[in-house]
Amino acid sequence: MDIRSLRYFVTTVQLNSFTQAAESMYVTQSTISKMVRQLEEEVGEALLIRQGRKLVLTDAGRIVFERGQEMLNSMRLLNTELQDTKALQRGHLTVGIPPMINLLFTPVLKAFRERHPDIELTLREDTGQVIERLVATGELELGMTVSPVDPSLDLQSKEVAKFPIWAVAKPDTFRRNAATIKLSNLASMPLVLLKDEFALTRALRQVFQQHGLEPVIAAQSGQWDWLVSMASAGVGVALLPEPFIHRLNGVEVAAVRVVEPEINWRLAHIWNGRYLSHAARAWVELCETMLPGHWL
Protein backbone atom coordinates (compact mmCIF):
# COMPACT_ATOMS: atom_id res chain seq x y z
CA MET A 1 0.00 0.00 0.00
CA ASP A 2 1.47 3.32 -1.10
CA ILE A 3 2.08 5.53 1.93
CA ARG A 4 1.42 8.69 -0.07
CA SER A 5 -2.02 7.46 -1.16
CA LEU A 6 -2.78 6.58 2.45
CA ARG A 7 -1.73 10.04 3.62
CA TYR A 8 -3.96 11.74 1.03
CA PHE A 9 -6.89 9.54 1.99
CA VAL A 10 -6.55 10.17 5.73
CA THR A 11 -6.22 13.92 5.19
CA THR A 12 -9.33 13.94 2.96
CA VAL A 13 -11.36 12.15 5.64
CA GLN A 14 -10.06 14.40 8.43
CA LEU A 15 -10.99 17.56 6.48
CA ASN A 16 -14.11 15.96 4.97
CA SER A 17 -13.26 17.61 1.68
CA PHE A 18 -11.24 16.79 -1.43
CA THR A 19 -10.75 20.49 -2.06
CA GLN A 20 -9.42 21.31 1.42
CA ALA A 21 -7.22 18.20 1.38
CA ALA A 22 -5.70 19.34 -1.92
CA GLU A 23 -5.02 22.81 -0.52
CA SER A 24 -3.44 21.48 2.68
CA MET A 25 -1.20 19.08 0.74
CA TYR A 26 -0.32 21.65 -1.97
CA VAL A 27 -1.56 19.45 -4.83
CA THR A 28 -4.49 19.59 -7.22
CA GLN A 29 -7.89 18.14 -6.36
CA SER A 30 -7.56 15.72 -9.25
CA THR A 31 -4.37 14.36 -7.67
CA ILE A 32 -6.22 13.70 -4.40
CA SER A 33 -9.08 11.98 -6.24
CA LYS A 34 -6.63 9.87 -8.25
CA MET A 35 -4.76 8.76 -5.12
CA VAL A 36 -7.98 7.82 -3.31
CA ARG A 37 -9.16 5.80 -6.33
CA GLN A 38 -5.76 4.08 -6.45
CA LEU A 39 -6.12 3.15 -2.79
CA GLU A 40 -9.63 1.81 -3.39
CA GLU A 41 -8.34 -0.33 -6.25
CA GLU A 42 -5.65 -1.77 -3.98
CA VAL A 43 -8.21 -2.53 -1.24
CA GLY A 44 -10.73 -3.88 -3.77
CA GLU A 45 -13.75 -1.86 -2.71
CA ALA A 46 -15.02 1.68 -2.12
CA LEU A 47 -13.69 3.59 0.87
CA LEU A 48 -15.66 6.85 0.56
CA ILE A 49 -19.21 7.61 -0.48
CA ARG A 50 -20.37 11.12 -1.34
CA GLN A 51 -23.63 12.19 0.34
CA GLY A 52 -24.23 15.73 -0.82
CA ARG A 53 -21.32 17.76 0.50
CA LYS A 54 -20.37 15.12 3.02
CA LEU A 55 -18.00 12.20 2.64
CA VAL A 56 -19.10 9.01 4.39
CA LEU A 57 -16.74 6.15 5.18
CA THR A 58 -17.67 2.62 4.18
CA ASP A 59 -16.87 -0.23 6.57
CA ALA A 60 -13.62 -0.83 4.72
CA GLY A 61 -12.95 2.89 4.64
CA ARG A 62 -13.30 3.13 8.41
CA ILE A 63 -10.73 0.37 8.91
CA VAL A 64 -8.30 1.95 6.45
CA PHE A 65 -8.79 5.36 8.04
CA GLU A 66 -8.22 4.16 11.63
CA ARG A 67 -5.27 1.95 10.81
CA GLY A 68 -3.95 4.54 8.39
CA GLN A 69 -3.79 7.15 11.14
CA GLU A 70 -1.83 4.71 13.28
CA MET A 71 0.58 3.97 10.44
CA LEU A 72 1.14 7.64 9.64
CA ASN A 73 1.69 8.45 13.32
CA SER A 74 4.23 5.63 13.46
CA MET A 75 5.97 7.06 10.40
CA ARG A 76 6.10 10.50 11.99
CA LEU A 77 7.48 9.00 15.19
CA LEU A 78 10.06 7.06 13.17
CA ASN A 79 11.23 10.22 11.42
CA THR A 80 11.37 12.10 14.71
CA GLU A 81 13.44 9.40 16.39
CA LEU A 82 15.79 9.22 13.41
CA GLN A 83 16.27 12.97 13.48
CA ASP A 84 16.83 12.86 17.24
CA THR A 85 19.44 10.17 16.74
CA LYS A 86 21.22 12.27 14.12
CA ALA A 87 21.10 15.19 16.51
CA LEU A 88 22.40 12.93 19.33
CA GLN A 89 19.27 13.54 21.40
CA ARG A 90 18.68 9.85 22.03
CA GLY A 91 20.31 6.49 21.54
CA HIS A 92 22.53 3.94 23.23
CA LEU A 93 26.24 3.27 22.94
CA THR A 94 28.32 0.50 24.49
CA VAL A 95 32.09 0.93 24.30
CA GLY A 96 34.45 -1.93 25.11
CA ILE A 97 37.44 -0.72 27.14
CA PRO A 98 40.27 -2.78 28.67
CA PRO A 99 40.75 -2.34 32.45
CA MET A 100 44.12 -0.59 32.05
CA ILE A 101 42.77 1.89 29.52
CA ASN A 102 39.63 2.84 31.45
CA LEU A 103 41.58 4.99 33.92
CA LEU A 104 42.41 7.41 31.10
CA PHE A 105 38.81 7.82 30.00
CA THR A 106 37.25 9.39 33.08
CA PRO A 107 37.54 12.94 31.62
CA VAL A 108 36.16 11.71 28.27
CA LEU A 109 33.27 9.93 29.96
CA LYS A 110 32.39 13.03 31.97
CA ALA A 111 32.53 15.29 28.91
CA PHE A 112 30.44 12.88 26.80
CA ARG A 113 27.68 12.72 29.42
CA GLU A 114 27.65 16.51 29.70
CA ARG A 115 27.45 17.03 25.92
CA HIS A 116 25.03 14.19 25.17
CA PRO A 117 22.94 13.61 28.31
CA ASP A 118 20.24 11.69 26.41
CA ILE A 119 22.66 9.11 25.02
CA GLU A 120 22.75 6.03 27.25
CA LEU A 121 26.44 5.17 27.52
CA THR A 122 27.69 1.82 28.83
CA LEU A 123 31.32 0.84 29.28
CA ARG A 124 32.10 -2.86 28.97
CA GLU A 125 35.40 -3.84 30.55
CA ASP A 126 37.41 -6.77 29.24
CA THR A 127 40.89 -7.47 27.93
CA GLY A 128 41.87 -5.92 24.62
CA GLN A 129 41.94 -9.22 22.77
CA VAL A 130 38.46 -10.18 24.01
CA ILE A 131 37.11 -6.79 22.97
CA GLU A 132 38.63 -7.23 19.51
CA ARG A 133 36.71 -10.50 19.09
CA LEU A 134 33.46 -8.99 20.38
CA VAL A 135 33.74 -6.10 17.91
CA ALA A 136 34.61 -8.47 15.06
CA THR A 137 31.46 -10.55 15.69
CA GLY A 138 29.25 -7.46 16.01
CA GLU A 139 28.46 -7.95 19.70
CA LEU A 140 30.12 -4.59 20.32
CA GLU A 141 29.89 -1.68 17.90
CA LEU A 142 32.99 0.10 19.17
CA GLY A 143 35.93 -0.80 21.34
CA MET A 144 39.40 0.19 22.46
CA THR A 145 42.52 -1.96 22.31
CA VAL A 146 46.28 -1.75 22.12
CA SER A 147 47.85 -1.78 18.65
CA PRO A 148 48.75 -3.73 16.68
CA VAL A 149 45.27 -5.25 16.30
CA ASP A 150 44.92 -8.97 15.62
CA PRO A 151 45.41 -9.16 11.81
CA SER A 152 43.20 -12.27 11.54
CA LEU A 153 40.13 -10.23 12.51
CA ASP A 154 38.34 -8.08 9.95
CA LEU A 155 38.52 -4.84 11.91
CA GLN A 156 38.91 -1.18 11.16
CA SER A 157 41.19 0.64 13.58
CA LYS A 158 42.30 4.18 14.27
CA GLU A 159 45.05 4.98 16.73
CA VAL A 160 44.17 7.86 19.02
CA ALA A 161 46.96 7.95 21.60
CA LYS A 162 50.42 6.67 22.44
CA PHE A 163 52.50 6.61 25.60
CA PRO A 164 56.07 5.31 26.10
CA ILE A 165 56.66 2.10 28.06
CA TRP A 166 58.68 2.30 31.28
CA ALA A 167 60.49 -0.39 33.24
CA VAL A 168 59.69 -0.49 36.95
CA ALA A 169 61.70 -2.44 39.55
CA LYS A 170 62.95 -2.30 43.14
CA PRO A 171 65.53 0.42 43.87
CA ASP A 172 69.12 -0.25 42.69
CA THR A 173 67.97 -2.64 39.96
CA PHE A 174 69.07 -0.25 37.23
CA ARG A 175 72.29 1.76 36.87
CA ARG A 176 72.54 4.63 39.31
CA ASN A 177 70.93 7.82 37.94
CA ALA A 178 69.88 5.99 34.76
CA ALA A 179 66.89 7.50 32.96
CA THR A 180 66.57 4.85 30.27
CA ILE A 181 67.24 1.17 29.62
CA LYS A 182 67.79 -0.66 26.35
CA LEU A 183 65.42 -3.42 25.33
CA SER A 184 68.35 -5.80 24.92
CA ASN A 185 69.30 -5.28 28.59
CA LEU A 186 65.74 -6.07 29.67
CA ALA A 187 65.89 -9.41 27.88
CA SER A 188 68.28 -10.76 30.52
CA MET A 189 66.14 -9.61 33.45
CA PRO A 190 63.12 -11.45 34.90
CA LEU A 191 59.92 -9.65 33.89
CA VAL A 192 56.47 -9.42 35.45
CA LEU A 193 53.83 -8.83 32.80
CA LEU A 194 50.09 -8.72 32.44
CA LYS A 195 48.49 -12.01 31.44
CA ASP A 196 48.73 -13.08 27.80
CA GLU A 197 45.09 -12.17 27.05
CA PHE A 198 45.99 -8.50 27.49
CA ALA A 199 46.76 -6.70 24.23
CA LEU A 200 49.70 -4.89 25.88
CA THR A 201 51.44 -8.19 26.59
CA ARG A 202 50.81 -9.28 23.01
CA ALA A 203 52.43 -6.07 21.76
CA LEU A 204 55.42 -6.45 24.09
CA ARG A 205 56.02 -10.06 23.04
CA GLN A 206 55.93 -8.97 19.38
CA VAL A 207 58.58 -6.30 19.98
CA PHE A 208 60.91 -8.78 21.71
CA GLN A 209 60.39 -11.27 18.87
CA GLN A 210 61.05 -8.65 16.18
CA HIS A 211 64.44 -7.94 17.75
CA GLY A 212 65.36 -11.60 18.16
CA LEU A 213 65.02 -11.52 21.95
CA GLU A 214 63.37 -14.03 24.25
CA PRO A 215 61.96 -12.40 27.41
CA VAL A 216 62.29 -14.16 30.77
CA ILE A 217 58.81 -14.12 32.33
CA ALA A 218 58.94 -14.45 36.12
CA ALA A 219 55.22 -13.89 36.77
CA GLN A 220 52.02 -12.59 35.20
CA SER A 221 48.92 -10.94 36.63
CA GLY A 222 45.68 -9.35 35.52
CA GLN A 223 46.21 -6.25 37.71
CA TRP A 224 48.76 -3.53 36.99
CA ASP A 225 49.06 -2.57 40.68
CA TRP A 226 49.96 -6.17 41.53
CA LEU A 227 52.71 -5.98 38.93
CA VAL A 228 54.06 -2.93 40.74
CA SER A 229 53.93 -4.77 44.07
CA MET A 230 55.87 -7.69 42.62
CA ALA A 231 58.38 -5.32 41.03
CA SER A 232 58.96 -3.45 44.29
CA ALA A 233 59.45 -6.80 46.06
CA GLY A 234 62.15 -7.80 43.58
CA VAL A 235 60.23 -10.53 41.77
CA GLY A 236 60.99 -8.94 38.42
CA VAL A 237 60.82 -5.85 36.24
CA ALA A 238 57.34 -4.58 35.33
CA LEU A 239 56.75 -2.96 31.95
CA LEU A 240 54.06 -0.29 32.21
CA PRO A 241 52.79 2.66 30.12
CA GLU A 242 53.78 6.13 31.23
CA PRO A 243 50.37 7.14 32.69
CA PHE A 244 50.77 4.45 35.33
CA ILE A 245 54.22 5.68 36.28
CA HIS A 246 52.57 8.89 37.49
CA ARG A 247 50.49 6.77 39.89
CA LEU A 248 53.48 5.33 41.74
CA ASN A 249 53.60 8.00 44.46
CA GLY A 250 54.61 6.45 47.75
CA VAL A 251 55.83 3.19 46.18
CA GLU A 252 59.55 2.51 46.58
CA VAL A 253 60.56 1.59 43.04
CA ALA A 254 62.89 2.80 40.34
CA ALA A 255 61.44 3.66 36.92
CA VAL A 256 63.31 4.14 33.62
CA ARG A 257 62.05 4.58 30.07
CA VAL A 258 62.63 1.74 27.60
CA VAL A 259 64.68 2.77 24.55
CA GLU A 260 66.46 1.28 21.54
CA PRO A 261 63.83 0.81 20.46
CA GLU A 262 61.38 3.04 22.24
CA ILE A 263 58.22 1.01 22.84
CA ASN A 264 54.89 2.81 22.82
CA TRP A 265 51.55 1.85 24.31
CA ARG A 266 49.38 2.64 21.28
CA LEU A 267 45.67 2.94 21.95
CA ALA A 268 43.23 2.48 19.09
CA HIS A 269 39.51 2.55 18.47
CA ILE A 270 38.26 -0.51 16.62
CA TRP A 271 35.01 -1.22 14.77
CA ASN A 272 33.93 -3.87 12.29
CA GLY A 273 33.57 -1.54 9.31
CA ARG A 274 29.91 -2.30 8.69
CA TYR A 275 28.34 0.65 10.51
CA LEU A 276 29.29 3.32 13.00
CA SER A 277 26.37 5.08 14.69
CA HIS A 278 26.15 8.83 15.25
CA ALA A 279 26.72 8.24 18.98
CA ALA A 280 29.84 6.15 18.28
CA ARG A 281 31.22 8.79 15.93
CA ALA A 282 30.60 11.46 18.56
CA TRP A 283 32.55 9.38 21.11
CA VAL A 284 35.48 8.91 18.73
CA GLU A 285 35.58 12.62 17.85
CA LEU A 286 35.52 13.58 21.53
CA CYS A 287 38.37 11.18 22.32
CA GLU A 288 40.45 12.78 19.58
CA THR A 289 40.08 16.23 21.14
CA MET A 290 40.60 15.33 24.80
CA LEU A 291 43.97 15.29 26.57
CA PRO A 292 45.88 16.95 23.71
CA GLY A 293 49.17 16.61 25.57
CA HIS A 294 49.09 12.84 25.27
CA TRP A 295 46.86 12.07 22.30
CA LEU A 296 47.97 11.79 18.70
Side-chain angles (χ1 to χ4, degrees):
M1 186 175 292
D2 182 73
I3 193 70
R4 187 173 59 166
S5 299
L6 189 61
R7 183 176 290 110
Y8 286 175
F9 170 74
V10 169
T11 302
T12 299
V13 174
Q14 289 173 335
L15 297 176
N16 195 41
S17 168
F18 281 89
T19 301
Q20 292 184 35
E23 292 175 354
S24 69
M25 310 270 316
Y26 301 100
V27 296
T28 63
Q29 183 173 332
S30 62
T31 299
I32 296 290
S33 299
K34 178 181 178 181
M35 288 296 182
V36 172
R37 284 197 305 271
Q38 178 178 312
L39 193 58
E40 289 176 327
E41 290 174 359
E42 292 179 1
V43 173
E45 57 183 290
L47 300 177
L48 286 173
I49 299 175
R50 291 180 182 271
Q51 288 186 353
R53 294 186 176 181
K54 288 186 176 183
L55 299 176
V56 179
L57 287 168
T58 64
D59 289 342
R62 187 173 295 105
I63 293 173
V64 173
F65 176 65
E66 291 174 355
R67 296 294 177 263
Q69 289 185 104
E70 294 174 3
M71 292 173 65
L72 292 174
N73 286 335
S74 295
M75 288 296 295
R76 279 190 288 270
L77 180 60
L78 172 63
N79 288 328
T80 298
E81 291 181 347
L82 287 174
Q83 292 302 317
D84 283 351
T85 300
K86 291 179 182 179
L88 297 174
Q89 294 177 359
R90 67 172 63 212
H92 178 267
L93 175 65
T94 299
V95 181
I97 297 183
M100 286 191 69
I101 295 178
N102 61 9
L103 296 174
L104 305 179
F105 279 81
T106 302
V108 180
L109 176 62
K110 180 176 182 293
F112 189 87
R113 292 196 183 282
E114 290 174 349
R115 296 187 187 188
H116 311 294
D118 296 319
I119 300 293
E120 183 182 350
L121 177 63
T122 302
L123 300 182
R124 177 166 177 173
E125 291 184 287
D126 218 317
T127 63
Q129 295 187 69
V130 170
I131 288 172
E132 289 175 22
R133 292 193 292 272
L134 292 175
V135 173
T137 60
E139 188 171 339
L140 281 177
E141 177 187 2
L142 185 68
M144 293 292 300
T145 190
V146 177
S147 293
V149 179
D150 186 343
S152 68
L153 300 176
D154 186 18
L155 292 173
Q156 301 289 322
S157 66
K158 184 176 184 180
E159 291 188 355
V160 292
K162 67 176 181 179
F163 303 90
I165 296 294
W166 287 60
V168 178
K170 70 175 183 178
D172 299 327
T173 299
F174 310 119
R175 288 185 299 104
R176 186 179 300 273
N177 299 322
T180 61
I181 186 171
K182 295 180 180 180
L183 183 69
S184 58
N185 293 335
L186 280 175
S188 61
M189 297 180 176
L191 303 179
V192 287
L193 303 178
L194 291 169
K195 293 180 179 179
D196 285 339
E197 56 262 34
F198 283 77
L200 173 58
T201 300
R202 176 185 62 192
L204 289 171
R205 286 186 179 275
Q206 287 181 3
V207 172
F208 276 103
Q209 184 179 24
Q210 289 168 1
H211 289 80
L213 302 173
E214 184 64 34
V216 179
I217 310 299
Q220 291 181 268
S221 171
Q223 303 293 328
W224 75 270
D225 51 351
W226 179 230
L227 296 184
V228 174
S229 295
M230 288 191 287
S232 65
V235 176
V237 178
L239 299 179
L240 295 172
E242 187 174 72
F244 297 90
I245 304 304
H246 301 316
R247 296 173 177 269
L248 298 180
N249 294 334
V251 183
E252 290 190 11
V253 292
V256 293
R257 188 163 52 85
V258 180
V259 295
E260 295 186 29
E262 180 178 89
I263 308 174
N264 287 307
W265 190 46
R266 308 182 73 90
L267 308 183
H269 278 117
I270 51 172
W271 62 98
N272 59 29
R274 291 188 286 274
Y275 175 72
L276 204 57
S277 67
H278 294 283
R281 277 179 268 173
W283 171 268
V284 171
E285 290 171 3
L286 184 59
C287 287
E288 292 174 347
T289 60
M290 298 287 290
L291 304 177
H294 296 288
W295 297 73
L296 292 175

